[in-house]
């Protein structure tokens, strides 16, 4: 997109999703993420649209991470029937965008909390400027460890009943976090939820062969920060063999370029003997749970709630 096109943007702010990846990264690093122009995605509007969310209460907290504060938000509904499970949830945004107020974080967390699954949603440093892996991964791990240490007070469950999950880039970060926890010999989540995740450097082909000229390849390298990190299963869990993972739900979208990555990872986990469920959301496209009220999004949220609330066996 040219400078003239940027200046002529009718909204006054460019749509960085339509910009070449290097330009988008530079623009976001300089200006920050613009406000979402969509109407009725703020919390007050969500409660008007979905009255069952009115009882969900939130609390913003800050976790001490190795690179600075990590924002988290606790969602609980005292009126909901407890399921005995809670979820630590990480939004997506191509590793360069996203925040706790986006529907993929805020709406999804509120919907699950209203179903008796308290949620701690997690933000993380974006890969802008000199920030690359492992910084956002470290942020997610810091938040996860904080929640496990304070689970009873924060979300009313034992640490052994915590599930970890994320969408898109958040799926990469949470699957990578599980890989790091496993390799460090730390306790693992009771389960892992991955919604349209990117788990390979080349998501559309579910491989390690990166096309550096493609947007997917450029975003992968920007996240990894180096060619060596592109091959690291701590960054892209799909490059590992999946052994030792907890029970995992993988949700992919029928109309999503990244669908092969999620499907291949589900196959990897199954081959490793992991209890894995693969759900293909018919007719859905990447990012569908960032659209409140979308029929596919409602189905996905219901499926996630059912899976999390079931008797997930603890990983030995």
């Amino acid at each position: 997109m040219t400078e003239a096109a940027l200046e002529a943007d009718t909204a006054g702010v460019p749509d960085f999703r339509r910009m070449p990846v290097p330009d988008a990264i530079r623009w976001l690093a300089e200006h920050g993420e613009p406000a979402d122009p969509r109407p009725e995605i703020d919390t007050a509007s969500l409660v008007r649209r979905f009255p069952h969310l009115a009882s969900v209460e939130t609390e913003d907290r800050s976790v001490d991470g190795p690179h600075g504060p990590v924002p988290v938000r606790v969602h609980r509904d005292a009126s909901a029937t407890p399921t005995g499970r809670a979820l630590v949830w990480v939004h997506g945004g191509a590793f360069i965008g996203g925040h706790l107020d986006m529907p993929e974080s805020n709406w999804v967390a509120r919907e699950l909390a209203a179903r008796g699954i308290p949620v701690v949603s997690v933000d993380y440093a974006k890969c802008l400027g000199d920030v690359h892996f492992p910084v956002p991964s470290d942020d997610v791990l810091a938040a996860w460890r904080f929640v496990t240490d304070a689970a009873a007070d924060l979300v009313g469950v034992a640490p052994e009943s915590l599930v970890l999950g994320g969408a898109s880039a958040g799926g990469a970060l949470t699957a990578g976090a599980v890989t790091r926890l496993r390799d460090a010999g730390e306790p693992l989540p009771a389960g892992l939820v991955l919604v349209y995740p990117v788990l390979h450097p080349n998501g559309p082909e579910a491989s390690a062969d990166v096309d550096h000229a493609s947007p997917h390849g450029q975003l992968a390298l920007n996240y990894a920060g180096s060619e060596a990190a592109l091959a690291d299963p701590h960054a892209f869990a799909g490059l590992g063999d999946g052994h030792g993972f907890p029970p995992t739900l993988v949700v992919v979208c029928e109309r999503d370029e990244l669908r092969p990555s999620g499907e291949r990872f589900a196959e990897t986990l199954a081959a490793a003997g992991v209890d894995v469920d693969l759900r293909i959301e018919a007719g859905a496209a990447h990012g569908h749970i960032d659209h409140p009220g979308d029929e596919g999004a409602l189905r996905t949220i219901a499926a996630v709630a059912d899976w999390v609330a079931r008797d997930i066996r603890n990983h030995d």
Side-chain angles (χ1 to χ4, degrees):
M1 184 178 291
T2 66
E3 283 296 325
L6 296 181
E7 293 174 358
D9 190 286
T10 56
V13 175
D15 182 352
F16 61 88
R17 292 166 298 184
R18 294 186 287 124
M19 299 167 66
V21 169
D23 292 348
I25 292 170
R26 283 193 295 270
W27 195 92
L28 289 169
E30 181 178 353
H31 300 283
E33 187 167 352
D36 193 320
R38 292 178 294 170
E40 298 189 333
I41 61 169
D42 60 284
T43 296
S45 296
L46 291 175
V47 171
R48 285 196 298 270
R49 294 172 64 187
F50 309 105
H52 62 279
L53 303 182
S55 299
V56 176
E57 297 183 351
T58 65
E59 179 188 4
D60 285 348
R61 302 283 291 268
S62 181
V63 174
D64 291 331
H67 310 286
V70 180
V72 302
R73 180 174 295 163
V74 184
H75 305 74
R76 298 183 68 169
D77 186 342
S79 69
T81 301
T83 63
R85 299 282 179 183
L87 175 67
V88 177
W89 178 248
V90 184
H91 66 78
F95 306 105
I96 61 174
H99 46 78
L100 296 180
D101 291 321
M102 67 188 295
E104 191 176 81
S105 182
N106 185 40
W107 177 57
V108 171
R110 289 174 183 274
E111 287 284 355
L112 293 172
R115 290 165 166 83
I117 302 169
V119 176
V120 180
S121 55
V122 179
D123 205 356
Y124 49 88
K126 307 307 181 295
C127 293
L128 302 170
D130 294 329
V131 177
H132 307 286
F133 175 83
V135 174
S137 178
D138 288 345
D139 285 352
V140 170
L141 278 176
W144 169 255
R145 290 166 178 148
F146 168 79
V147 177
T148 57
D149 288 344
D153 291 334
L154 277 180
V155 289
V157 304
E160 296 79 15
S161 296
L162 287 173
V163 176
L164 180 61
S168 193
L173 294 171
T174 51
V178 168
T179 305
R180 295 179 66 183
L181 290 168
R182 179 202 64 191
D183 291 351
E186 296 186 50
L188 299 185
L192 177 64
V193 175
L194 303 173
V195 180
Y196 43 76
V198 52
L199 301 163
H200 302 80
N202 184 334
E205 295 184 7
S207 77
D209 299 324
V210 175
D211 176 3
H212 293 291
S214 73
H216 289 291
Q218 292 167 350
L219 286 168
L221 181 58
N222 179 65
Y223 163 56
S226 68
E227 294 288 341
L230 280 174
D232 188 347
H234 290 167
F236 293 99
L239 301 178
D241 63 10
H243 79 274
F245 262 61
T248 300
L249 171 66
V250 181
V251 180
V252 298
C253 297
E254 182 182 21
R255 300 186 295 107
D256 182 7
E257 282 186 306
L258 293 175
R259 173 179 170 181
S261 187
E263 291 179 323
R264 179 69 57 82
F265 191 59
E267 294 171 358
T268 297
L269 293 178
V274 174
D275 179 5
V276 59
D277 292 310
L278 174 64
R279 176 183 177 87
I280 301 173
E281 200 60 77
H286 191 85
H288 71 299
I289 62 170
D290 196 43
H291 297 274
D294 176 88
E295 291 185 6
L298 292 169
R299 291 194 301 268
T300 294
I301 290 171
V304 169
D306 289 345
W307 189 88
V308 169
R310 77 180 189 179
D311 187 20
I312 303 172
R313 64 171 175 82
N314 287 329
H315 174 73
D316 296 324

